[in-house]
Amino acid sequence: MKRPEAEDFLYREARLMDEHRYQEWLSLWTDDGVYWVPCSYAASDPNCEVSIIYDDRSKLADRIIYLEGGTVRDPESRPLIRRVISNVETSPVADGETEVASNFVLVEARDGAEFIWCGRSYHRLRRQGADLKMSFKKVLLVNRQQVLPVLQFLI
Amino acid sequence: MTIAETAADIDVAALVTPDRIHGRLYYDEALFELEMRRIWNKVWVYLAHESEIPNRGDYLRRKLGAQPVILVRVTDHNIRVFYNRCRHRANLLCHKERGNAAELICPYHGWTYATDGRLVAPSFGGAYESSLRQEDFALTPVARVDSYRGLIFASAAEDGIGLDEHLGRARPLLDFVIDRSPVGEVMLTAGAQAARYRGNWKMLPENSVENYHGPFVHRVAFALSDRRAGRVRASVTRREHDQEDETLYLGGGHMAEYLPRVGSPTRREPTAARQAYVAAMIAAYGDARARELTETLPAFFFVFPNLMFIQTHFRRLDPVSVDCTDVYYHPALLKGVPDEINHEILRFHETSFGPAGFVTPDDIQILERNQTGLHALGDEWLFLGRGLHREMRHSDGVASGQFMDENQLRGLWRHYADLMSGP
C-alpha cells in the first residue's frame, strides 16, 4: 500500500471522529477489530496490564451508544475537537495487511477550557473488496501514564 | 496572620449539622490546610499493595496526603516508607515512579542511601567536619507503617490507634474481596488508570459509595451493562424500596453499600476457567463460603480517608489542592486462578472505569459541576437528609439505612467533624 492511500484513510477517519459521526466510524472496522489505548508506558500486554480502552467489535458498538447519548453531557454540548495527523509511515505486516503509524495532535474544547491530546497511532489496514478497513488500532498517548482528564470522544 | 492560624479558628463542628453540611467544606483553602494537619498527617493513609514492589530493592513513589514518599522493599519481609527528600538539601530523592535499585542516590549532590535508609556516604565526605555523623542523616521514615493482607498503610503521627483498630469494621469487607482468591491474595500488578478532576477530594468517596445518583448519572451505562449481562433491572421506584440492599456507616469514617445481587459472575455462562476457579474456591474454603465468595457481588466500600473498593478495583485518591484531586483505579487481580479469570476482570473493569470507561467520566464531570455549583452562595448548605427518619443507629457506632439513603454520608461527616475539631 502506498502512503497516499493510507493517508486518505487516516484523514477520513480523523474527520469522522472529529465530527462525532460514530456510526460511519464504526463501519470502518472489520468484525474482528480491536481498539487499544494502553495506559502504561510499556504498553506490553493487555491481558496483564489494565488499559484505558481495550474494545472488541461488540464493545465498540456499546461505546458508540454511550457516546451518542449515554452521558451527563447532552449531544449539544459534546466536546469540540479537531486533530492534525502527520508523520505517516507504512509497513507491510502479515496476511497482506499494512501497518500505518502516524502522529496526531488534538485540541479539545469543553466547559470553557482547552485540553491538548497527543500521541502516535498504529493502524492495521485490510482490504475488503473495494474498501479499506481497520482490523487493529493502538493509540499511544504521550501522557498515558499520568493523570488524565476524562476522554469522552474517539481518539 | 498565617493561613494555619486562620484555619485553626474555624469552628468545623458548626459546618456539619445532623442533616446538612456547609459548602465551605469543599472550597475553603484554609480548611484544606487544616485537613492536611488534622487528617492526612495523622490518620492511617493507604499507600500501595505489596505486590506492586515484589522484589528486593523495588521502590515506588506515592503520596501521603500531599507529601511525596517512597516505599522500598528492603528484604522479603521488610518494606520501609521514607519521605522522598534528600537529607542534604531536600531534593526529591527519587524522581522515577518506580524501579529497582541497590542504593538510592540523590541526583543533586550524589548523597547515597542504602535501601533501608542509612546514609552510606555524603559525596566527597572529607570536606565535612569529622563530627558529622552518618546516622544523623538517614532518610526520614514515616512514623508508622503497617499492612493488612498486603495493603500497606502509613501514618505520619508517632502516636494513635493501630491499623487493625483503624480498619475496624472495614476488615471483613477487605477480607471478602481478598478471599475471592483461593490462596487469599489479590495482586495489584496490572497497574492503574489515573484521572484528575477539578473538585474537592471528599466528593469522591461521597460519590463512590452512594446509590442515589446511579439511575441519573449512569442511566445509559447501566442499560448497556444490563443488556450485556442479559438481565432486566428493576425500576428505580422498586429498587428504592428494596429491603435487601443496605447502606452502612461502619464507624471510623468508613462506609459501605451492599448492592443488589445482579451480575454475580456465576450467573454468566460457566466457562472451563470459571469452573476451575469455583472448584479451587471450594477446595480452599469449603462449599458454603466458596459459594458466598463467588456468587455475591462484594460490597462497595470506603476506608477513610483514601481507599475504596468498587466492583473490580481498589480506588485510591490523592488530594492535590482544595479543588483538585487525583484518582487511581487499580484492578484487583486474583492470585491462584486461571489467567482467563483475571483477563475477564480487566476487560470488565475497563468497560466501566478509568478516563474512558462508561461510568467514571460521568461521575467526574458531575463532581466538577458540583464544585462549580458551590460558588453560588445564596444558600450555602448541602442537604444530606435522605432516609434520616428511618436511619438505624446501632450501639457500636454503626448506622444502617436503605438503598439510596444518605446515612453513610452523614456518618462520614460526623467523623470528619470530630477529627477536624481535635488538636
Side-chain angles (χ1 to χ4, degrees):
Chain A
M1 186 183 302
K2 292 277 193 292
R3 196 170 67 204
E5 188 183 8
E7 285 174 338
D8 284 348
F9 182 93
L10 296 182
Y11 295 161
R12 175 158 176 253
E13 193 220 354
R15 180 160 40 82
L16 296 178
M17 292 190 288
D18 287 350
E19 296 173 4
H20 306 291
R21 291 158 66 179
Y22 302 132
Q23 293 299 339
E24 290 170 82
W25 179 78
L26 195 57
S27 73
L28 298 178
W29 285 90
T30 63
D31 288 342
D32 58 350
V34 169
Y35 177 37
W36 183 26
V37 184
C39 81
S40 79
Y41 291 135
S44 55
D45 182 352
N47 281 331
C48 296
E49 291 183 336
V50 68
S51 299
I52 297 167
I53 295 173
Y54 193 87
D55 287 356
D56 61 12
R57 186 64 168 65
S58 100
K59 203 146 109 188
L60 270 177
D62 281 359
R63 184 171 297 282
I64 294 317
I65 294 170
Y66 174 70
L67 289 174
E68 274 176 342
T71 77
V72 299
R73 185 167 292 283
D74 56 84
E76 289 75 42
S77 61
R78 279 193 184 121
L80 301 172
I81 52 173
R82 276 297 164 190
R83 77 197 78 196
V84 172
I85 306 241
S86 184
N87 303 58
V88 178
E89 295 175 276
T90 61
S91 51
V93 288
D95 304 323
E97 296 193 347
T98 300
E99 181 175 273
V100 186
S102 62
N103 291 357
F104 70 93
V105 177
L106 181 158
V107 174
E108 175 194 17
R110 66 172 159 87
D111 305 328
E114 288 80 41
F115 302 85
I116 295 171
W117 299 79
C118 176
R120 188 154 176 86
S121 305
Y122 298 84
H123 291 71
R124 279 194 182 198
L125 301 185
R126 182 189 300 170
R127 287 194 196 284
Q128 280 192 350
D131 298 325
L132 271 183
K133 302 267 189 188
M134 298 185 270
S135 64
F136 178 75
K137 178 179 177 182
K138 176 171 77 176
V139 181
L140 297 181
L141 295 167
V142 293
N143 56 347
R144 61 190 174 274
Q145 206 169 299
Q146 302 186 166
V147 289
L148 294 173
V150 297
L151 178 55
Q152 283 203 308
F153 54 85
L154 296 171
I155 194 90
Chain B
M1 187 181 285
T2 67
I3 286 174
E5 281 163 351
T6 314
D9 292 338
I10 300 172
D11 180 6
V12 179
L15 303 176
V16 178
T17 80
D19 68 351
R20 282 173 170 76
I21 53 166
H22 196 274
R24 185 176 178 184
L25 293 162
Y26 296 99
Y27 66 74
D28 189 317
E29 288 179 19
L31 269 172
F32 184 81
E33 295 300 322
L34 196 61
E35 286 171 352
M36 289 299 130
R37 284 196 280 139
R38 293 191 174 162
I39 297 176
W40 293 92
N41 293 343
K42 188 173 280 188
V43 307
W44 289 100
V45 175
Y46 171 70
L47 292 182
H49 188 270
E50 288 173 6
S51 63
E52 296 181 85
I53 40 173
N55 303 310
R56 284 183 182 207
D58 283 352
Y59 64 86
L60 181 65
R61 279 184 64 182
R62 283 288 144 90
K63 281 167 82 179
L64 177 65
Q67 305 190 66
V69 297
I70 38 174
L71 294 88
V72 189
R73 188 182 284 270
V74 183
T75 63
D76 292 350
H77 300 289
N78 182 15
I79 289 172
R80 303 287 306 271
V81 182
F82 302 108
Y83 290 98
N84 188 1
R85 164 183 173 133
C86 180
R87 291 296 309 278
H88 175 216
R89 300 244 306 257
N91 201 63
L92 188 72
L93 178 67
C94 176
H95 68 280
K96 278 172 66 182
E97 280 304 310
R98 61 172 64 216
N100 183 281
E103 292 177 324
L104 302 168
I105 304 170
C106 180
Y108 199 176
H109 303 95
W111 279 36
T112 301
Y113 302 88
T115 54
D116 65 2
R118 279 178 300 116
L119 177 66
V120 175
S123 319
F124 317 124
Y128 290 103
E129 284 183 54
S130 54
S131 60
L132 182 145
R133 301 189 326 157
Q134 274 165 244
E135 53 267 39
D136 290 340
F137 290 91
L139 292 179
T140 308
V142 173
R144 291 182 298 158
V145 179
D146 201 354
S147 70
Y148 184 73
R149 301 197 65 176
L151 300 160
I152 305 164
F153 297 79
S155 163
E158 296 285 349
D159 303 309
I161 59 172
L163 179 62
D164 278 0
E165 189 182 344
H166 166 72
L167 295 176
R169 286 176 200 85
R171 271 188 301 171
L173 301 182
L174 287 166
D175 289 339
F176 190 96
V177 165
I178 298 167
D179 286 346
R180 292 174 311 141
S181 148
V183 296
E185 284 184 49
V186 291
M187 306 181 292
L188 269 59
T189 49
Q193 304 145 320
R196 169 168 288 185
Y197 69 88
R198 293 165 293 174
N200 185 267
W201 65 273
K202 299 184 288 299
M203 288 177 175
L204 187 80
E206 287 191 292
N207 168 266
S208 297
V209 188
E210 178 259 276
N211 280 309
Y212 195 11
H213 74 282
F216 307 99
V217 172
H218 305 304
R219 181 179 48 84
V220 173
F222 284 2
L224 286 170
S225 131
D226 288 350
R227 200 183 61 173
R228 213 160 243 283
R231 69 178 172 242
V232 180
R233 194 175 291 248
S235 74
V236 171
T237 345
R238 262 199 48 218
R239 293 184 69 207
E240 210 251 305
H241 297 291
D242 194 333
Q243 300 289 326
E244 260 187 50
D245 313 318
E246 202 176 22
T247 306
L248 286 174
Y249 176 63
L250 301 169
H254 316 317
M255 312 183 282
E257 54 178 8
Y258 287 90
L259 294 160
R261 296 179 177 190
V262 292
S264 64
T266 47
R267 296 192 189 181
R268 291 188 218 130
E269 207 174 311
T271 59
R274 180 78 203 166
Q275 285 167 339
Y277 168 52
V278 172
M281 290 293 285
I282 291 170
Y285 299 103
D287 202 50
R289 176 70 172 161
R291 184 174 293 277
E292 188 189 5
L293 288 164
T294 56
E295 293 183 6
T296 316
L297 188 66
F300 288 15
F301 59 93
F302 168 59
V303 178
F304 189 87
N306 72 329
L307 175 66
M308 285 141 273
F309 180 83
I310 308 293
Q311 198 159 18
T312 53
H313 65 285
F314 284 102
R315 184 177 297 183
R316 175 172 65 85
L317 76 85
D318 286 339
V320 178
S321 63
V322 71
D323 58 0
C324 183
T325 307
D326 288 345
V327 195
Y328 298 87
Y329 306 84
H330 296 260
L333 303 184
L334 304 176
K335 192 168 180 180
V337 305
D339 290 343
E340 292 89 335
I341 297 292
N342 283 327
H343 301 170
E344 277 175 27
I345 290 174
L346 287 176
R347 296 294 91 84
F348 185 55
H349 171 85
E350 290 149 358
T351 304
S352 295
F353 304 110
F358 298 169
V359 169
T360 297
D362 287 328
D363 280 327
I364 283 184
Q365 288 176 97
I366 279 291
L367 298 190
E368 292 187 340
R369 291 182 200 170
N370 219 124
Q371 192 74 28
T372 307
L374 289 164
H375 293 293
L377 305 179
D379 171 9
E380 284 229 58
W381 292 93
L382 290 78
F383 185 44
L384 287 178
R386 189 173 174 78
L388 184 60
H389 61 290
R390 61 187 180 195
E391 176 173 334
M392 304 217 281
R393 292 284 194 98
H394 307 277
S395 54
D396 49 2
V398 173
S400 59
Q402 292 178 25
F403 190 62
M404 295 192 186
D405 282 358
E406 291 169 339
N407 61 296
Q408 81 286 22
L409 305 181
R410 292 189 288 271
L412 167 67
W413 283 105
R414 285 194 299 277
H415 183 72
Y416 174 89
D418 284 349
L419 286 175
M420 291 289 282
S421 305

